[in-house]
Amino acid sequence: MEKSLSWREFIITRLIQSSGYSAILFVALIFFFLLREGLPTLGEVDASSLLNIRWYPIENYFGILPLITGSLIVTLGATLIAVPFGIGTAVYISEIAPRWVREILKPLVELLGGLPSVVLGFLGILVLSPFLRVFLNLPTGLTAFTGSLLLGGIAVPTVVSVAEDALDSVPRAYREGAWALGATKWQTIWRVTLPAAKSGVLTAVMLGIGRAIGETMTVMMVTGNAPVLAVKLGSLFSPVRTMTATIAAEMGEVANGSTHYHVLFFIGMVLFIISLVVNVIASSVVFRAKKRAERILS
Amino acid sequence: MGIRQNAVTVLFGPAGGGKSTLLRCLNRLNDLTEIKASSGRILIDGENILDPKTDVIALRRKVGMVFARPVPLPMSIRQNLTYALELAGEKRKSKLDEAVERSLKLAAIWDEVKDRLDEPAIALSGGQQQRVCLARVIALQPEVILLDEPTSGLDPISTGKVEAALLELKKEYTVILVPHSVQQAARTADYAAFFLTGELIEYGEGKSLFTVPKQKKTEDYIMGRFG
């Protein structure tokens, strides 16, 4: 009896252990595969050509700068929209809204987070972009700005959900302490609750950025897909093409093993590195906060 | 029930007796909980603070409060003290510095923190944090100071320091204290009120109440026969 129990214990422990390790293994394999398919690019295309501003693979122009700037400008726009809205909504839900509003809003926001991005892209093509074309008097409504608006909408639920959790976990005593000193509700939020939840709110922002930069379907549908270097302010209102959209659009038609194929993987690598950097920054912020919490406990 | 100026009034009794609730009525902190039912009147300087027209913010500056668990705000020690003053409109640096030093001295913590005022308050020990919280309240120059079991999480030495600070404080302020033990109640009380399940059983001068209580229930509680 006792023996079989210890056997079961052993098997369960090992199962859990192996599923934990396999997650690491899969990420390592993905990264390895990306490297294997992407790194030959460096042998086949010169660095100067890669850093060119022209992306025209059929004539062997593999400048990835327009794609990187396209991704960055759309993500930046989305961040500028998602962060204030997301944090504002989180503050409203956690600090201001009466209980019954909170109980409706929180699940609603999370539901919004589960909306398939292709549906949003569809709405973007049919509703948002014609509206923007007329409203802003643009030659086309399929612009970086359109993508930013939609991506912002996609990232907002992520930001709200994580930031709200962070605000919610600030001990009630902090707020009471500030109120008892004669701080108003708003002063308490701004100077006490938000700073106390700082690390969680930063994580929310990082996750929101990560969500925006990795998004493919929506941006492919609404940004116009023109690989033009986007560094001017006006670029926001002209078509761009992101890294993700390029991979998604061209991977299906490319000859396996060709230079173009390798370059697409190289773009995937760049994307992987960017989101890795975002994640590392996010988790280092959280890690710092943890250490601080440990210091308080000791 | 009347509460004397410049004295320590102690509210004591078993848990759930309504002591904290009463304290929180005095600075209207109960406003912010979900339940809002209050009747009757609370007069401070002849004004009914439960009147809906009362300026709650000004009231909370006049009636300061220290909580059971120290709640240093997530700022430096100095900012913890000056924050409320800045909210109240005080901008002159000399005044702020003066208030910081004066209130930290009154709370008996100046010597321990004077060289590290710009460190985060959260890095202090629990007992130090609690005294910084007390100093924070003093900095506002309130009329009344409410203390809700301010020493429940502290070691005896820190407790002693806080109690000594209270004796100093009552010269200038009206202190209302919910102690965390009968012993502390007896040690600190000028006036004492015994609460049981939401009712005021007995209220009187500390010395006589703790030596010759008039009510049987009070006597039982003090002698440790229940509660």
Side-chain angles (χ1 to χ4, degrees), chain A residues 99 102 171-174 176-185 187-188 190-193 195-196 292 295-296, chain B residues 24 27 29 32-34 57 60-61 63-65 67 71-75 79 83-84 86-87 122 136-137 140:
Chain A
R99 182 175 294 242
R102 182 182 328 170
R172 191 177 164 73
Y174 272 38
E176 289 185 340
W179 289 331
L181 285 174
T184 61
K185 211 159 191 178
Q187 288 162 337
T188 306
W190 186 241
R191 288 291 301 269
V192 177
T193 318
R292 201 164 58 219
R295 208 167 63 216
I296 298 165
Chain B
R24 286 158 157 270
N27 67 352
L29 210 54
L32 295 146
T33 53
E34 304 278 326
I57 303 298
R60 294 204 186 119
R61 290 190 182 130
V63 184
M65 181 157 187
F67 298 87
V71 271
L73 302 179
M75 322 168 179
Q79 283 168 328
Y83 178 50
E86 281 164 15
L87 290 183
I122 243 156
R136 187 170 74 193
V137 170
L140 270 173

Side-chain angles (χ1 to χ4, degrees), chain B residues 14-78:
Chain B
K19 303 157 291 180
S20 299
T21 310
L22 176 60
L23 271 196
R24 286 158 157 270
C25 284
L26 294 177
N27 67 352
R28 300 252 318 247
L29 210 54
N30 277 350
D31 285 14
L32 295 146
T33 53
E34 304 278 326
I35 325 118
K36 282 178 191 160
S38 57
S39 57
R41 295 190 306 163
I42 299 173
L43 299 178
I44 295 181
D45 296 341
E47 279 175 48
N48 180 15
I49 60 163
L50 293 184
D51 194 314
K53 277 177 290 189
T54 306
D55 179 355
V56 182
I57 303 298
L59 170 72
R60 294 204 186 119
R61 290 190 182 130
K62 200 157 83 178
V63 184
M65 181 157 187
V66 178
F67 298 87
R69 279 187 49 207
V71 271
L73 302 179
M75 322 168 179
S76 74
I77 297 171
R78 187 199 306 277

Side-chain angles (χ1 to χ4, degrees), chain A residues 3 31 51-52 77 97 105 112 114 145 224 282 289:
Chain A
K3 187 134 199 236
F31 191 56
L51 296 176
N52 203 329
L105 273 181
L112 215 63
F145 184 63

Side-chain angles (χ1 to χ4, degrees), chain B residues 10-12 19 147 149-151 177-182 184-185 188:
Chain B
V10 162
L11 314 175
F12 73 105
K19 303 157 291 180
L147 301 115
E149 304 194 4
T151 55
L177 169 73
V178 173
H180 78 276
S181 66
V182 180
Q184 186 177 42
T188 51

Side-chain angles (χ1 to χ4, degrees), chain B residues 158-218:
Chain B
S158 301
T159 304
K161 285 180 181 166
V162 171
E163 282 177 17
L166 289 185
L167 290 181
E168 213 37 51
L169 286 174
K170 74 175 181 189
K171 290 176 193 159
E172 287 179 60
Y173 307 98
T174 304
V175 177
I176 305 178
L177 169 73
V178 173
H180 78 276
S181 66
V182 180
Q183 289 80 359
Q184 186 177 42
R187 273 200 304 270
T188 51
D190 292 317
Y191 296 88
F194 176 58
F195 284 84
L196 188 63
T197 59
E199 277 173 62
L200 175 63
I201 304 294
E202 188 171 352
Y203 177 46
E205 265 190 61
K207 276 206 192 80
S208 58
L209 193 142
F210 284 107
T211 48
V212 276
K214 295 194 188 77
Q215 300 286 332
K216 179 82 173 58
K217 283 177 182 165
T218 317

